[in-house]
Every structure is written in structure tokens, then in C-alpha cells.
Amino acid sequence: MSEIFRLAKPRKKGLLHLVFSRFSVIVLLILLQLAMYIFFYGWLITWLPFFSAFLVVFSVIMIIYLFNTGMDFSAKLTWMFLISVFQVPGAIFLLFTRMNVGYRKLERRERTLILQTRTAIPQSQDVLDALKKDGSGMDALARYLNRTGCFPIYNNTEVTYFPIGEDKFAAMIKALEAAEKFIFLEYFIVEEGYMWGKVLELLVAKAAQGVEVRMMYDGMCEMSLLPSNYCRLLEEKGIKAKAFSPIRPVVSSHYNYRDHRKILVIDGETAFTGGVNLADEYINLTERFGHWKDTAIMLKGEAAKSFTLLFLQMWNIDEKKPEFSQWLEGAVSAPKNPSGYVIPYGDCPLDNEKVGETVYMDIINRSSDYVHIMTPYLILDGELETALKYAAGRGVDVKLILPGIPDKKAAYALAKSHYKRLIASGVKIYEYTPGFVHAKVFVSDGCKATVGTINLDYRSLYHHFECAAYMYKTACIPEIELDFQQTLSKCREVTPRTIKNEKISYKLLGTLMKFFAPLM
């Protein structure tokens, strides 16, 4: 392996470094603020002898308020449990999250940008008319997605599917080398190492050539992976950079919303998305949880414009004069082998639309032969669980592939808490024995698929900024199904017997964590 290109010194490991790190300082300051709230709560109990009666009335009022909100019913049950046990602290925490303290400005700004760009990319009526004649119902989904945002459906795009992170990495390096106008990157995780080093080396070279290079990563990276001045280090190399919602030593609900998207757009003509972040485990150069199974896609053609728009909507949140048209205008070169239809789409936690879940539900509910799914997490709300069970009950072959080696014990235990009910209804579940599945893939009936960043958990479906691409009759869909089958051959099937013999620790943890599933 060649020498790694770095901008920052490698982070030291160990307990001493952790204790004196920026992460520890922020955690300490947040804990001090929480301690202050707990102290005042204890002081009230000491000096108000009639406080218990007040708590009963207060709890009833809060539960009435809770059941009149528009949140998911599973989330309501979680909050009702918290309020009944912790009463005032639970109620204050609920109001705190509902008020979006520290996030109102961002919410208003994002809504404004989405409204301003609703018609930034016009929808071809000819494409919609052709879909309507097709009789697949795809025109209805396209109308829904265009109502929630500017998500046109395209029929002039070539899609390449990558069944492993290493393939995506090789393709993105080749695409970056060909960049002439601009490069936009938006990633949840960026960590210095071989993968990011190779990408960064190209970005620096392209910036020196006059190519517009912009990099955006989630602010959580600054807690453990990147130094807090990393944006400045990138800017010194000619790369415009931003960290989305960096963690500050202030208690705020805005930390609940993360930028989980993975987007690379080159010249408005080529775009990448999928589960692969910019860190070495995603291309199996380092091992964390066994073999890392991930997927991605590359779009060439008009559909790449939608990912340009998704990136710019996030980039312009804190820009006084947002610019869109100059990056969206201009003809796009015709791809060599366009096929089928593609709808790139995004999910925003601020618009009260569960776009990611709705697309998944549409695939499940319209399926007639099979629905095959790869997902790292399985923390389902009632609607999704019912849809999966109903599909299996009406004879659809519903199969899910999940990790065999988990990255998060609590999430793994919660996934297992769904197994018994799903399997009883006819859903088949498999665990990837070589390691960790990070892919977010749905493929159905040989003609529909979606690949993106959206997990089957509350974090992705309710609280994160996400993205994906829906494909209908594209040439790569058989490849996606083939990859599913090849991955399936490396899995162990979950059966009533394996569930019965599951570790007691997972059963107990899953039962306890069920109370808090909507918060995960």
C-alpha cells in the first residue's frame, strides 16, 4: 500500500487521549447542564410537599397532549412510558424535542430552500404519460415524490450497480479523474486513511486545476474521526468545506438530526450514492465486524442533476445568497446505455413526510412475486412490520438479509425482537455469517429496486437526512437480484429453533430496548 495522503496527524488511541479529548470536554459540559436540571428538579421535590398530586395531573395533561400529536404510534408508547416513569423530566424532555430547541432556524431555512427549488428541475410530461400507460403504478409514486420535493423521474439515465465497496471506490476514482467543472461530496463518515487519502489527493489536484470542489460531512465526524479544524485544512488546499451540525457543548435537540447521505456528483452528469462512506472499513482494508458487505450505484445522465440539487439544498442552509441555477443549467451528455426509469429522491426529517418509508412501503405493497431486502438494522414501526407480514401472508417471497456480526449490540438485539413475529407470518430472515451487512437495498419482481442510504430503523426513517435512487426496469436490476442471491448463499437462516436457542443476553436486551426503539 502506498503512503497515505493526510491533512491531519493520526489520532492517538487509548484512555488518556479519550479523557483529555474534545469529545470528553463536550460530554462533560453537557452532563453538567443535565446535572443542573436534575438538581433543580430535586430542589422542587424537597420544598413542595404537594408535588406528587401535581405530578399526577401534569402527567395526565402531557399524555393527552402526546396522543394528539402526529407522531408515530410506537413513538407515542415510548414517550408515554417515559412520562409515566419519570413524569416531569420525561415531559420536559418530550417538550424539548417537540420544540426543536436550537433547530428552528435550520428548519425554517431548509423548508425555504426546498420551496424555492420545487421547480428547479422540470418533470417531463412525456415520461409520466408513458408510465401511466405502463400500468405499473409508477406514475403515482412519481407524482407523490414530486409533491414532497423536486424529484423528477427520468428515462435517459444509465445505472451501474456495485455489489461491494471496493468496486464503487475504483469507479469513483476513475470518475473523479475525469472531472472538468465541479465535484460535490456529501458524506456521513469521513476518516483519514487509504480510501479518503486517494480521494483527497485527486480533489486537491482538481481544485488546483480550477475545478470547483465542495466537501460536506456530518458534524459527528469531529467528535471522533476528524479534528475540529478539518474544514480549514481542506480550504487551505482549495476545497470548500463544511461540517453539518457540528456538536457543541450545549444541550440541543438539533443533534438528533444527522446528515446520513452519501453523495458524490461530478459535473452534473455522474452521481454516486449507496451505503459506502469514505473510510477504510467500507472497502475492507481494515476489519471491524468481519467482512463489510456494502453496495452503491452510479448514475450517468439527467438523473445526476437531482443529486446535484440535493447537495445544494444542504450546502446552502447557511449561505446568505444561495446559488442553484448555475450548477443545474446546461445540457447533459447522453449516456451510452440508458435503460428504464430512475427517480433520485431525498428524505428530510423537517417536512413531516416519511419519504423513505413510503417508498419502501410502495415496493412491499405492490409486490406480487418477491421482495428481497438487505439492511444493517431492523427496528420497525407498526406500519412497516404489518406491510412485511401482509406481503408474506399473500404469498410474496419476502426475504431479509441482516448482519451476522453486529456493529451495535442494542440494535442487533432489537432486530432479533422482530424475528419471531415476522417468521411466523412467512417472512424469511437470514444473517450474513462472514460479517456486517451495511447495504440498504430493496429489489422486487425483477423490475423494481432502490439503493441508497436509508436503513430500516427509526433513525433513518424519522430523524436523518437521507437519499436513494428508485429504479424501474433498469438494466442493472437483475444484477441486484443476483447479488442478493449470492449474498444469501453466505448466510444462516433464522428459524424458530435458532430463535429459541438465542443468547439470553440478546433476548433480555431486546425486551428492555423495545421501550426505547423509536429513539434509536
Side-chain angles (χ1 to χ4, degrees), residues 137-158:
M138 276 292 296
D139 59 314
L141 179 62
R143 284 195 297 272
Y144 165 76
L145 289 173
N146 253 326
R147 184 183 68 79
T148 61
C150 184
F151 306 131
I153 184 167
Y154 304 87
N155 66 345
N156 53 1
T157 298
E158 178 183 353

Side-chain angles (χ1 to χ4, degrees), residues 89-147:
I92 291 173
F93 187 35
L94 170 63
L95 291 174
F96 182 74
T97 56
R98 297 291 294 174
M99 290 169 63
N100 270 338
V101 176
Y103 212 59
R104 288 291 187 182
K105 184 178 179 180
L106 177 62
E107 182 179 7
R108 290 193 299 269
R109 182 60 171 166
E110 184 67 11
R111 286 177 183 271
T112 300
L113 291 173
I114 291 172
L115 287 172
Q116 287 178 351
T117 56
R118 289 191 70 85
T119 58
I121 307 174
Q123 171 65 69
S124 168
Q125 189 59 44
D126 291 341
V127 175
L128 285 179
D129 291 342
L131 275 174
K132 193 171 184 179
K133 293 176 183 177
D134 180 84
S136 63
M138 276 292 296
D139 59 314
L141 179 62
R143 284 195 297 272
Y144 165 76
L145 289 173
N146 253 326
R147 184 183 68 79

Side-chain angles (χ1 to χ4, degrees), residues 9-27:
K9 294 179 180 179
R11 290 203 164 193
K12 296 179 180 179
K13 306 294 183 180
L15 181 60
L16 190 64
H17 172 72
L18 178 64
V19 170
F20 294 99
S21 67
R22 179 172 176 269
F23 170 81
S24 297
V25 173
I26 289 176
V27 169

Side-chain angles (χ1 to χ4, degrees), residues 280-447:
D280 286 351
E281 64 263 31
Y282 293 87
I283 56 173
N284 287 293
L285 282 181
T286 59
E287 183 176 315
R288 296 184 64 198
F289 312 105
H291 182 263
W292 194 286
K293 165 63 180 172
D294 221 325
T295 60
I297 54 172
M298 176 177 67
L299 310 180
K300 283 185 173 290
E302 288 283 344
K305 280 191 174 183
S306 288
F307 282 107
T308 305
L309 178 60
L310 283 169
F311 173 87
L312 290 171
Q313 285 174 340
M314 294 295 284
W315 181 269
N316 284 305
I317 283 176
D318 59 353
E319 294 289 331
K320 293 181 179 179
K321 295 182 179 180
E323 296 177 346
F324 292 95
S325 59
Q326 72 178 93
W327 308 107
L328 297 171
E329 292 174 349
V332 174
S333 302
K336 293 180 180 179
N337 300 298
S339 65
Y341 300 86
V342 182
I343 315 178
Y345 60 96
D347 201 349
C348 170
L350 308 175
D351 59 6
N352 297 317
E353 291 281 355
K354 296 185 289 184
V355 176
E357 183 174 45
T358 300
V359 172
Y360 284 161
M361 294 274 284
D362 189 82
I363 294 175
I364 296 167
N365 291 333
R366 293 184 188 274
S367 60
S368 58
D369 185 11
Y370 69 83
V371 178
H372 293 161
I373 300 165
M374 285 189 277
T375 179
Y377 310 114
L378 191 71
I379 307 175
L380 304 175
D381 61 18
E383 293 176 71
L384 260 175
E385 183 172 319
T386 298
L388 289 168
K389 292 193 292 187
Y390 175 59
R394 57 188 172 84
V396 176
D397 178 35
V398 182
K399 289 189 174 82
L400 289 85
I401 295 178
L402 288 104
I405 300 175
D407 67 332
K408 301 178 181 72
K409 298 290 186 183
Y412 194 49
L414 269 171
K416 289 178 178 295
S417 72
H418 291 284
Y419 284 3
K420 187 175 183 179
R421 294 190 301 276
L422 290 173
I423 289 174
S425 68
V427 176
K428 297 175 183 177
I429 300 174
Y430 301 83
E431 294 180 336
Y432 182 65
T433 54
F436 184 64
V437 170
H438 192 251
K440 305 95 167 52
V441 172
F442 272 57
V443 59
S444 176
D445 296 346
C447 62

Side-chain angles (χ1 to χ4, degrees), residues 273 297 307 310 343-346 360 450-454 466-470:
T273 193
I297 54 172
F307 282 107
L310 283 169
I343 315 178
Y345 60 96
Y360 284 161
T450 182
V451 176
T453 69
I454 308 169
E466 303 280 4
C467 66
Y470 188 105

